[in-house]
Amino acid sequence: MDVRARHCTAPPPLTADLTHEAWRAAPAHTIDRLWNGTPAPAALATTARLLWTASHLWLGFECGYTELDIDPPAAVDCATERVALWDRDVCEAFVRSRREPRPDSYK
């Protein structure tokens, strides 16, 4: 999936509310595939919006769900690296520059 971020002069508000004018000005990119490339169920529809400033890349996700698979708050220690997050309901973004030597690699 190839997407482009919209430039903004100031960072968007860091809230879960994506109705701010900066987010609404960013194109909506529909994510309709699961990790393995198969079509995602309609109930899991996700939209991504991307913004960038001179120093940051901002990603906003609007995700549908029927049930969330998350760790209980007591089990989360922010000082410790957490592994296997892909087993939970998360959004990941792999960013690759067009200057990368191969389209299947990223840093």
Side-chain angles (χ1 to χ4, degrees):
M1 175 178 216
D2 198 19
V3 299
R4 291 184 183 242
R6 181 178 175 92
H7 181 261
C8 59
T9 56
L14 296 181
T15 67
D17 181 8
L18 299 181
T19 61
H20 185 271
E21 62 189 56
W23 287 117
R24 289 289 148 216
H29 301 282
T30 301
I31 302 171
D32 60 359
R33 301 280 171 179
L34 297 177
W35 64 271
N36 59 5
T38 61
L44 301 180
T46 299
T47 300
R49 295 177 187 271
L50 292 79
L51 299 169
W52 68 276
T53 63
S55 59
H56 290 85
L57 175 64
W58 306 92
L59 290 86
F61 294 99
E62 296 173 292
C63 307
Y65 60 89
T66 55
E67 178 182 342
L68 285 176
D69 184 12
I70 60 174
D71 290 325
V76 177
D77 178 4
C78 294
T80 304
E81 181 179 358
R82 297 173 63 202
V83 296
L85 284 177
W86 54 86
D87 284 339
R88 301 294 184 204
D89 288 321
V90 298
C91 290
E92 292 180 293
F94 297 91
V95 179
R96 183 184 68 84
S97 167
R98 291 181 187 268
R99 295 181 185 172
E100 288 292 330
R102 297 183 359 232
D104 61 339
S105 70
Y106 62 90
K107 294 181 183 176

